[in-house]
Amino acid sequence: MTSRSELSNAIRALAMDAVQQANSGHPGMPMGMADIAETVWRHHLRHNPANPGWFNRDRFVLSNGHGSMLLYALLHLTGYALSIDEIRRFRQLHSKTPGHPEYGLTPGVETTTGPLGQGLANAVGMAIAERALAAEFNRPGFAVVDHHTYVFLGDGCLMEGISHEACSLAGTLGLGKLIGCYDDNGISIDGKVEGWFTDDTPRRFEAYGWHVIPNVDGHDFAALDAALAAAKAVTDRPSLICCKTVIAKGAPTKAGSAKAHGEALGAAEVAATRAALGWNHPAFEIPREIYAAWDARASGAAREAEWNGLFAGYAKAHPAEASEFTRRIGGELPAGWREHCAKVLGATRAKAETVATRKASLNSLELLGPVLPELIGGSADLAGSNYTIWSGSKPLARASGGNYLYFGVREFGMCAIVNGIALHAGLIPYGATFLTFSDYARNALRMAALMRIRALFVFTHDSIGLGEDGPTHQSIEHAASLRLIPHLDVWRPCDTVESLAAWIAAIERRDGPAALLFSRQNVAFQPRDDAQVEAIRRGGYVLAEADGGAAQAVIIATGSEVPLAIGARRALAGEGIRARVVSMPCTSVFDRQDAGYREAVLPEGVARVAVEAGVTDFWRKYVGLDGEVVGIDRYGESAPGPELYKFFDITVENVAAAVKRALAR
Ligand SMILES: Cc1ncc(C[n+]2csc(CCOP(=O)(O)OP(=O)(O)O)c2C)c(N)n1
Ligand SMILES: [Mg+2]
């Protein structure tokens, strides 16, 4: 019989050989965590390699994503559609084994990791999703949602601040099905961590309210098994298993050293490691009996079949819940969604309310929430400012499910948790804070965009219009800088109708996240006809056509500056200048429209002016060098919002003057 060390040595061999072949990568972590991986994946993880999308699988997150070869080896060995050729092509163009694990590219990769600490926060999000869905759908005798979330993490993840944010919240929420395995190897890139990381990690996590299993020998299979069993037995708190490991275990001269972290071991060391491990097989050759022992296809198929049986019984006993569940995990919107949206858009238009767009966002939640039970979200301690609590919000707490999350003051953790919820399936998550603090969370927004997931980010207080809180809180560069993130749709709607349309577009989009930017201050309602309401979903449209002939100038505006454009158009008309106003709530969506539409909205050769209370450079793309931009290229000031608009010359008069300047060129 093959021993468990032989099985974990298969991981070590694949990792060191793939890194050696690529002459790039991280052999140390996979070799150090191989025994932990064998224990989790062969003795605890419930998954089906033939169906990586099986809903009730345990989730597995490799937060220390530089050890990607560990995950690729596991996926390959257990029988996922990841061939040995893909392992050979580690880190090569268009292989399924990229440098760091990428969601959507490799079957079985649950989230993209590499930016340290975020995988851990994603795992917290997955565990929250499991909690919420279990509470919503499980019925006596039918625990159709019932899985663990396992996460591997290293010193780097724990040094990152986001680990505090996410794990602190996980402790408060008592996420009992979350199990972390900490690779306590005392090494990070710069060497032995004792010079920069001396936390008492077990006590840190105990203080968060976690169940901590300290001092586990990460190379002792029996100890690891016992720790995992203990972790599963504690169901009211997340568990952290602190595993003492040796980085690059098995490598005669590089084990235990930072040298093994992020570069190939070298041919001589690889050969010496083979000898030391007693692994006498050529590179990329795994003996049949080792494959057989790793193969999880039969057990996985049996597990899924068992669950399918349970689900069939559930569907009989609770047909309505079962069909709702099926819709939800497929990410489909509810039947009648389109009709409902048309109805509430119509009602919102008829109401013609002038309110702050953050209030319009809350109205949108009130209008969409009742038909969209998958909506779950919250704010980073700004619920009363972000307006994220609607009448159907029920807090998810220690002992309950729910659809509202009090994230606390944890913007980065919140956004990465939102990503984890989105990745889990079954829910559409949102997280909210002030737009200015989107910077705190920025890399999580980037990861949502890279993964192209349906994660929604609500950012209110989106300009100097917020007023007295001053420059620390006033967004200047934020809208423009978020628009630089590929695949992230940034909506900055101007009134109640555009705000609702933005929410609808963000919810309907299946291939990427959205940031929804809302004002603190009131913004005038804009009347529209049916075609204009419909056109909002195109990202930019003609809101007010030039009167009395073809437009001589186009004024492009977003959000709270749209009324200024409308005012300037009127003022210019008084002087016989025909200006059209284009409302551009989402530039990336507008950019995706066909050339004919874009030309119809922004005709070539017509003078252009843009107005937005933010940095001006971004708008050059639309107005060209001959156009004009009314905006603000310095930090704001502490004063009432209306005064600030005057002080910074973001006014009807200045927009009108800018049009005349552009026309004079
Ligand atoms: C946010 C972030 N910062 C920096 C890095 C670069 N980086 C990759 S691994 C690593 C050290 C991680 O140490 P540890 O988790 O202990 O990994 P080990 O060397 O033990 O495998 C660093 C700084 C990163 N991937 N993500
Ligand atoms: Mg380490």
Side-chain angles (χ1 to χ4, degrees):
M1 238 198 55
T2 38
S3 70
R4 290 178 66 176
S5 341
E6 281 177 89
L7 299 179
S8 52
N9 285 342
I11 296 174
R12 293 189 173 95
L14 287 173
M16 72 175 180
D17 289 334
V19 172
Q20 187 64 32
Q21 170 127 327
N23 196 22
S24 168
H26 302 76
M29 181 284 220
M31 297 175 76
M33 289 196 88
D35 301 320
I36 304 168
E38 192 276 344
T39 308
V40 171
W41 278 64
R42 284 194 64 247
H43 304 272
H44 297 275
L45 191 77
R46 299 166 63 91
H47 64 126
N48 181 9
N51 183 10
W54 168 39
F55 171 79
N56 202 41
R57 68 192 181 279
D58 287 336
R59 304 305 194 263
F60 178 83
V61 174
L62 193 79
S63 190
N64 40 2
H66 56 278
S68 56
M69 260 315 300
L70 177 73
L71 184 49
Y72 301 147
L74 288 164
L75 294 170
H76 171 70
L77 290 167
T78 56
Y80 285 76
L82 190 68
S83 69
I84 195 72
D85 287 336
E86 293 291 349
I87 304 285
R88 283 175 188 274
R89 301 207 317 114
F90 179 53
R91 295 193 153 215
Q92 304 311 301
L93 186 65
H94 298 151
S95 74
K96 285 190 175 162
T97 49
H100 293 82
E102 289 185 38
Y103 172 73
L105 184 61
T106 314
V109 170
E110 301 277 6
T111 176
T112 299
T113 52
L116 295 170
Q118 271 191 81
L120 181 52
N122 295 159
V124 170
M126 292 174 189
I128 287 173
E130 198 267 354
R131 157 84 63 82
L133 291 168
E136 186 180 352
F137 286 102
N138 289 355
R139 295 292 179 273
F142 297 107
V144 292
V145 183
D146 183 13
H147 68 78
H148 284 90
T149 300
Y150 293 92
V151 52
F152 281 12
L153 55 136
D155 301 299
C157 295
L158 289 180
M159 281 186 261
E160 288 291 351
I162 190 175
S163 68
H164 168 69
E165 296 183 17
C167 295
S168 159
L169 183 60
T172 297
L173 294 178
L175 299 173
K177 286 178 172 169
L178 176 63
I179 299 177
C181 295
Y182 164 36
D183 183 29
D184 181 6
N185 61 15
I187 293 290
S188 65
I189 291 182
D190 283 353
K192 288 193 167 53
V193 299
E194 62 204 20
W196 48 90
F197 182 48
T198 56
D199 297 2
D200 185 335
T201 296
R203 283 176 61 200
R204 172 184 165 195
F205 277 74
E206 266 159 26
Y208 291 153
W210 284 52
H211 164 230
V212 178
I213 307 175
N215 280 318
V216 176
D217 178 345
H219 304 295
D220 176 340
F221 293 107
L224 288 166
D225 266 323
L228 280 151
K232 287 197 281 194
V234 171
T235 57
D236 62 345
R237 284 166 292 158
S239 291
L240 184 71
I241 306 175
C242 300
C243 308
K244 295 263 182 236
T245 64
V246 177
I247 191 169
K249 184 168 166 59
T253 72
K254 294 195 173 162
S257 129
K259 290 283 294 164
H261 164 88
E263 61 189 43
L265 296 178
E269 182 83 351
V270 166
T273 305
R274 275 200 152 63
L277 294 176
W279 183 268
N280 301 315
H281 319 290
F284 305 108
E285 279 184 31
I286 306 287
R288 189 179 311 201
E289 65 278 12
I290 288 187
Y291 270 128
W294 269 109
D295 194 340
R297 284 174 294 190
S299 62
R303 288 212 158 117
E304 184 176 347
E306 191 189 329
W307 184 83
N308 287 339
L310 178 76
F311 192 78
Y314 177 75
K316 256 208 194 108
H318 307 283
E321 286 86 343
S323 75
E324 171 70 359
F325 180 83
T326 304
R327 170 184 85 74
R328 293 273 295 275
I329 67 172
E332 300 298 335
L333 293 171
W337 165 258
R338 273 286 161 118
E339 296 72 14
H340 179 80
C341 290
K343 196 179 83 194
V344 293
L345 273 168
T348 300
R349 176 155 58 125
K351 254 187 160 175
E353 268 184 305
T354 285
V355 292
T357 57
R358 62 176 169 149
K359 178 65 176 24
S361 170
L362 176 60
N363 292 348
S364 306
L365 288 172
E366 292 286 3
L367 293 168
L368 301 176
V371 302
L372 207 63
E374 54 266 58
L375 206 54
I376 181 171
S379 158
D381 205 43
L382 288 169
S385 300
N386 300 145
Y387 289 157
T388 42
I389 300 183
W390 61 284
S391 56
S393 292
K394 285 180 218 70
L396 184 141
R398 195 169 180 89
S400 72
N403 63 357
Y404 193 79
L405 296 159
Y406 286 97
F407 285 108
V409 193
R410 302 179 176 103
E411 294 81 11
F412 189 14
M414 168 177 74
C415 292
I417 287 170
V418 160
N419 290 348
I421 296 173
L423 287 160
H424 182 276
L427 296 164
I428 299 179
Y430 62 93
T433 184
F434 289 154
L435 177 58
T436 301
F437 305 137
S438 63
D439 287 342
Y440 272 56
R442 189 173 176 95
N443 199 262
L445 308 182
R446 181 175 196 269
M447 295 302 284
L450 176 59
M451 293 190 276
R452 306 194 75 137
I453 54 177
R454 183 155 50 185
L456 313 182
F457 305 101
V458 174
F459 297 130
T460 70
H461 296 59
D462 68 347
S463 74
I464 53 166
L466 69 83
E468 294 84 344
D469 271 338
T472 54
H473 285 49
Q474 291 161 355
S475 298
I476 297 293
E477 72 280 27
H478 297 82
S481 97
L482 289 176
R483 291 182 186 120
L484 297 176
I485 299 179
H487 307 320
L488 176 68
D489 281 348
V490 179
W491 289 86
R492 188 168 186 261
C494 75
D495 68 357
T496 52
V497 172
E498 276 193 11
S499 297
L500 178 57
W503 265 104
I504 292 169
I507 287 164
E508 289 182 357
R509 184 173 180 214
R510 304 241 0 208
D511 62 355
L516 302 166
L517 279 43
F518 298 114
S519 71
R520 171 177 185 258
Q521 75 276 25
N522 283 357
V523 188
F525 176 82
Q526 301 298 330
R528 292 173 190 81
D529 63 23
D530 286 342
Q532 286 171 315
V533 173
E534 184 53 35
I536 299 170
R537 67 169 64 244
R538 307 190 80 156
Y541 63 100
V542 179
L543 176 63
E545 190 48 286
D547 270 337
Q552 296 164 276
V554 176
I555 309 172
I556 307 166
T558 77
S560 47
E561 286 67 71
V562 167
L564 300 180
I566 293 287
R569 170 184 169 276
R570 195 179 311 119
L572 290 163
E575 300 179 42
I577 298 172
R578 299 184 305 274
R580 158 192 287 190
V581 172
V582 166
S583 179
M584 184 83 84
C586 186
T587 58
S588 55
V589 169
F590 179 74
D591 292 347
R592 293 200 292 270
Q593 303 304 309
D594 60 77
Y597 179 79
R598 284 183 279 123
E599 163 67 21
V601 174
L602 298 180
E604 201 63 47
V606 177
R608 295 179 188 181
V609 171
V611 51
E612 183 175 70
V615 290
T616 56
D617 268 4
F618 174 84
W619 291 102
R620 287 284 156 206
K621 166 179 177 188
Y622 296 98
V623 303
L625 294 177
D626 293 336
E628 287 281 327
V629 185
V630 176
I632 168 170
D633 287 308
R634 49 158 285 189
Y635 294 112
E637 294 277 356
S638 173
E643 250 179 77
L644 291 174
Y645 272 87
K646 283 198 201 97
F647 176 75
F648 288 110
D649 232 358
I650 304 176
T651 59
V652 166
E653 296 71 37
N654 195 28
V655 175
V659 168
K660 288 191 245 175
R661 282 198 299 275
L663 281 171
R665 286 211 179 96

